Amino acid sequence: MAAGAKIIHLRNLLAERFPHPSCTTARRLITGLPFLDEPIGGGLPRAAITELISSRTSAGSASLIRALLHSAYRDNYFLALIDGRDSFDPCGLDNAWLQHLLWVRCSKASEAVKAADLLLRDGNFPLVIVDLVLNAPEELRKIPQTNWYRLQRLVEVLPTACLVLTRYEMVSSAQLKLVLDNSWDIQTFESEDALSRLRIVVKRSHLQSEVSRLRYLATARQGSQKSAVS
């Protein structure tokens, strides 16, 4: 089967297994995770790439993925996890959670980017996660920045939130850049409230800049109207 025919066949399978989400006007995907939603203004931005940088070892990125999978199950939507180093461990997760997951198992970062391209073109998933935390830096440096800008152009016309997990800052087209600022030990993982201890810091937000610009224009417009009345 030719490559083009294989892609069409795969898209048909995805459409059958993961029906298109209903259209939504919400600009953010609310995860229900306070440590994530609150710092970024209410949820992951749709139609945008969010880069979450996890530079420290044992920072909790795997626990975050599990929490997001539970959110997808709770709110009844599908989540695509593109696993850059085939490192995701589903053991211990409820089978009902896994029914809301498409797990794409990759061995190289380049495969993960190609998978993201395919799934974002398909447009079936409210949330697409690209996990590159365990990929080698030399692998990641080979990804052209043009690839990330292409993914941003794909997602910006969809009601999809795209979350890219990285070891260091590398996605220049990301509209929102976050840092997972934790360093956990065995005791932390064993505690019942470990997930609530995740600390996420906003490093850069083009979204916030846009909000500030709109507020400035609105304020300026109101000032002009008052001057005209006076």
Side-chain angles (χ1 to χ4, degrees):
M1 187 183 295
K6 289 181 180 179
I7 291 175
I8 294 173
H9 179 62
L10 179 56
R11 286 179 176 171
N12 291 336
L13 288 177
L14 289 172
E16 181 180 346
R17 175 65 181 84
F18 301 96
H20 282 272
S22 57
C23 294
T24 177
T25 58
R27 301 186 64 179
R28 292 184 179 268
L29 177 67
I30 300 173
T31 69
L33 304 173
F35 62 83
L36 177 59
D37 289 346
E38 291 176 5
I40 62 178
L44 292 169
R46 299 178 188 268
I49 293 177
T50 297
E51 181 180 18
L52 179 59
I53 304 160
S54 179
S55 58
R56 302 181 184 181
T57 57
S58 301
S61 60
S63 296
L64 174 61
I65 291 174
R66 286 173 169 245
L68 290 171
L69 180 54
H70 177 255
S71 297
Y73 162 71
R74 181 198 62 218
D75 295 334
N76 195 31
Y77 62 83
F78 295 111
L79 179 157
L81 171 61
I82 302 172
D83 189 354
R85 283 295 291 173
D86 195 11
S87 60
F88 177 67
D89 183 6
C91 293
L93 296 180
D94 193 304
N95 285 335
W97 297 16
L98 298 177
Q99 291 176 4
H100 290 256
L101 171 68
L102 174 67
W103 179 18
V104 183
R105 305 170 69 177
C106 305
S107 59
K108 297 184 294 185
S110 58
E111 295 175 352
V113 173
K114 290 178 181 178
D117 188 291
L118 175 63
L119 292 181
L120 290 178
R121 288 179 189 277
D122 186 69
N124 279 290
F125 299 90
L127 177 58
V128 174
I129 301 175
V130 185
D131 183 8
L132 301 175
V133 169
L134 294 182
N135 290 87
E138 53 268 24
E139 260 192 275
L140 301 177
R141 294 190 191 101
K142 293 179 182 178
I143 301 175
Q145 288 300 319
T146 51
N147 287 8
W148 297 117
Y149 281 103
R150 184 176 70 250
L151 294 182
Q152 173 57 37
R153 287 196 297 272
L154 290 174
V155 75
E156 65 189 14
V157 297
L158 300 171
T160 298
C162 181
L163 177 64
V164 183
L165 306 178
T166 61
R167 182 65 73 188
Y168 62 90
E169 185 175 357
M170 56 175 284
V171 184
S172 55
S173 65
Q175 297 296 294
L176 179 62
K177 287 181 178 284
L178 309 174
V179 175
L180 194 55
D181 189 18
N182 309 282
S183 185
W184 287 2
D185 54 23
I186 295 298
Q187 292 181 343
T188 306
F189 282 110
E190 291 179 345
S191 64
E192 295 183 358
D193 63 340
L195 194 61
S196 65
R197 300 186 189 182
L198 279 177
R199 182 169 180 265
I200 291 178
V201 178
V202 177
K203 180 178 179 66
R204 187 194 76 188
S205 175
H206 288 331
L207 302 169
Q208 187 58 42
S209 298
E210 178 66 10
V211 171
S212 299
R213 187 180 72 84
L214 292 174
R215 286 177 178 172
Y216 170 78
L217 292 174
T219 302
R221 190 179 301 112
Q222 290 174 358
S224 299
Q225 291 173 348
K226 289 181 181 179
S227 298
V229 172
S230 300

